């Protein structure tokens, strides 16, 4: 079978109008184009679908009437599909799937979601926490529309842009002696007890900078979520190395913690925004634009712990 949607449209128009010439006027094409389409459809099915009489025009056979219903359903489905595609391109509608590997993402993604969803009732957003590998694989496979992750071992095919370079800092209980200091060296951690965030890429980074600094603190505990690490630190289990910070110094347990810059500052991690480059849905584009705006503003600095700038 070898036919196309245009031929099916012309075929249906001819039978609806009951005349090749009337269908050609309706479609704004020459009669020969309609006739050729009717012949093509009949040839493709290998069935007699029409009867043609010079005085009475063109009419469907019994077989043609059966197929007309199916053909019209196909054309309707196609129009619906194209309408949905146009809507996705021009309106904020549908489901946006965001994969993120950024422990502090809950500090800023909800604000972006609110801005997009408050005025767009036909849109919804699914946030999926994952690791770096899963985020990138998900973007390439179509599981995610956009990702936030660490710029480490980025896969070919992932288009990404750096949102922010994030320096590491030391998180300590509020009553710890380091809390009153302007900065702490990694070498100062030799006699300390640490709680580590045990996530791919991040844990490797912390192990590397400690080794390079010649520091060998005791690792008392580890956790795979940021808030568990913060709560362990607040409870006095140990200090921790982290990157981005939330907007509060209170843990889930109600303890207070303090962020202390590292000096000299180790190489920062890069948080990147990954997306597919060509013809994104409007909802995807709007989300990407909002993330860019957030990290281009001074307010994004509140997520970072840095050494005081020299005067």
């Amino acid at each position: 079978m070898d036919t196309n949607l245009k031929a099916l449209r012309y075929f249906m128009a001819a039978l609806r109008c009951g005349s090749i010439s009337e269908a050609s006027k309706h479609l704004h094409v020459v009669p020969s184009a309609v006739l050729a389409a009717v012949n093509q459809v009949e040839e493709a099915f290998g069935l007699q679908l029409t009867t043609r009489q010079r005085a009475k025009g063109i009419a469907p056979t019994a077989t043609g009437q059966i197929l007309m219903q199916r053909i019209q359903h196909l054309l309707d489905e196609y129009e619906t599909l194209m309408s949905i595609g146009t809507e996705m391109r021009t309106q904020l509608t549908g489901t946006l799937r965001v994969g993120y590997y950024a422990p502090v993402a809950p500090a800023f993604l909800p604000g972006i979601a609110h801005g997009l969803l408050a005025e767009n009732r036909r849109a919804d957003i699914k946030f999926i926490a994952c690791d770096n590998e899963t985020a990138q694989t998900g973007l390439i496979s179509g599981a995610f529309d956009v990702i936030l992750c660490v710029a480490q071992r980025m896969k070919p095919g992932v288009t990404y842009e750096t949102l922010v370079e994030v320096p590491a800092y030391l998180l300590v209980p509020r009553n710890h002696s380091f809390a009153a200091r302007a900065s702490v060296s990694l070498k100062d951690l030799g006699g300390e007890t640490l709680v580590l965030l045990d996530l791919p890429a991040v844990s490797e980074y912390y192990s590397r900078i400690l080794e390079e600094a010649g520091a060998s603190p005791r690792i008392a505990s580890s956790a795979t979520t940021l808030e568990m690490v913060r709560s362990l630190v607040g409870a006095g289990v140990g200090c921790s190395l982290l990157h981005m910070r939330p907007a509060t110094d209170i843990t889930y347990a109600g303890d207070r913690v303090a962020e202390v810059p590292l000096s000299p500052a180790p190489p920062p991690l890069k948080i990147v925004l990954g997306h597919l480059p060509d013809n994104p849905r409007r909802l995807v584009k709007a989300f990407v634009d909002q993330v860019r705006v957030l990290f281009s503003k001074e307010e994004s600095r509140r997520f970072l712990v840095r050494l005081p700038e020299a005067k």
Side-chain angles (χ1 to χ4, degrees):
M1 180 175 290
D2 184 17
T3 189
N4 55 48
L5 289 169
K6 181 186 289 187
L8 292 174
R9 284 200 193 94
Y10 287 12
F11 173 82
M12 291 296 293
L15 293 178
R16 298 292 188 198
C17 293
S19 165
I20 297 292
S21 60
E22 287 300 315
S24 69
K25 294 175 184 178
H26 176 74
L27 295 168
H28 305 290
V29 297
V30 297
S32 60
V34 180
L35 180 59
V38 173
N39 292 335
Q40 180 185 346
V41 172
E42 286 195 305
E43 183 180 348
F45 281 101
L47 297 168
Q48 183 179 352
L49 304 178
T50 66
T51 59
R52 311 176 204 183
Q53 298 180 23
R54 188 175 295 274
K56 295 183 179 180
I58 184 170
T61 63
T63 303
Q65 289 182 18
I66 295 171
L67 287 179
M68 280 179 68
Q69 297 176 22
R70 298 297 184 91
I71 293 171
Q72 189 59 56
H73 178 72
L74 172 63
L75 294 175
D76 290 344
E77 286 291 310
Y78 175 76
E79 292 300 328
T80 299
L81 175 63
M82 296 307 294
S83 178
I84 291 172
T86 299
E87 192 174 71
M88 286 181 171
R89 187 180 71 252
T90 60
Q91 300 180 34
L92 293 175
T93 185
T95 298
L96 176 70
R97 293 174 176 80
V98 181
Y100 67 92
Y101 178 61
V104 184
F108 58 86
L109 286 183
I112 293 174
H114 177 264
L116 289 177
L117 300 178
E119 302 297 329
N120 300 285
R121 299 296 183 180
R122 298 175 62 195
D124 63 276
I125 304 177
K126 296 184 183 298
F127 292 107
I128 302 97
C130 55
D131 58 45
N132 237 36
E133 174 78 14
T134 302
Q136 295 180 58
T137 301
L139 180 65
I140 294 170
S141 69
F144 301 138
D145 296 295
V146 62
I147 60 173
L148 286 94
C149 63
V150 176
Q152 187 175 54
R153 293 191 287 273
M154 299 300 290
K155 294 180 177 294
V158 174
T159 298
Y160 65 94
E161 55 195 86
T162 299
L163 293 174
V164 63
E165 294 189 356
V166 192
Y169 66 88
L170 185 69
L171 187 74
V172 298
R174 176 61 74 178
N175 60 0
H176 195 285
S177 60
F178 286 165
R181 293 174 56 169
S183 65
V184 174
S185 167
L186 286 172
K187 292 182 179 179
D188 295 334
L189 305 183
E192 294 293 323
T193 299
L194 286 194
V195 176
L196 286 187
L197 181 61
D198 188 13
L199 291 174
V202 174
S203 58
E204 298 168 11
Y205 170 89
Y206 294 140
S207 297
R208 186 176 70 254
I209 64 172
L210 286 170
E211 182 180 354
E212 291 174 352
S216 301
R218 183 175 76 88
I219 309 301
S221 184
S222 65
T224 58
T225 66
L226 176 68
E227 192 47 50
M228 179 58 79
V229 169
R230 296 179 77 252
S231 294
L232 288 166
V233 171
V237 174
C239 306
S240 185
L241 292 169
L242 294 172
H243 279 79
M244 299 179 77
R245 65 177 172 186
T248 179
D249 64 352
I250 301 176
T251 70
Y252 276 3
D255 299 312
R256 290 189 175 274
V257 290
E259 299 100 356
V260 187
L262 293 173
S263 179
L269 283 181
K270 292 182 179 181
I271 304 299
V272 300
L273 176 70
H275 53 89
L276 298 179
D278 298 325
N279 301 320
R281 289 186 291 142
R282 189 178 175 196
L283 183 58
V284 176
K285 186 177 185 301
F287 178 85
V288 168
D289 288 344
Q290 288 298 311
V291 174
R292 287 171 177 158
V293 168
L294 173 66
F295 282 93
S296 68
K297 292 181 177 179
E298 184 68 21
E299 66 184 66
S300 66
R301 294 174 64 88
R302 64 189 174 93
F303 303 124
L304 310 181
V305 178
R306 290 176 170 170
L307 291 166
E309 295 182 2
K311 297 182 178 179

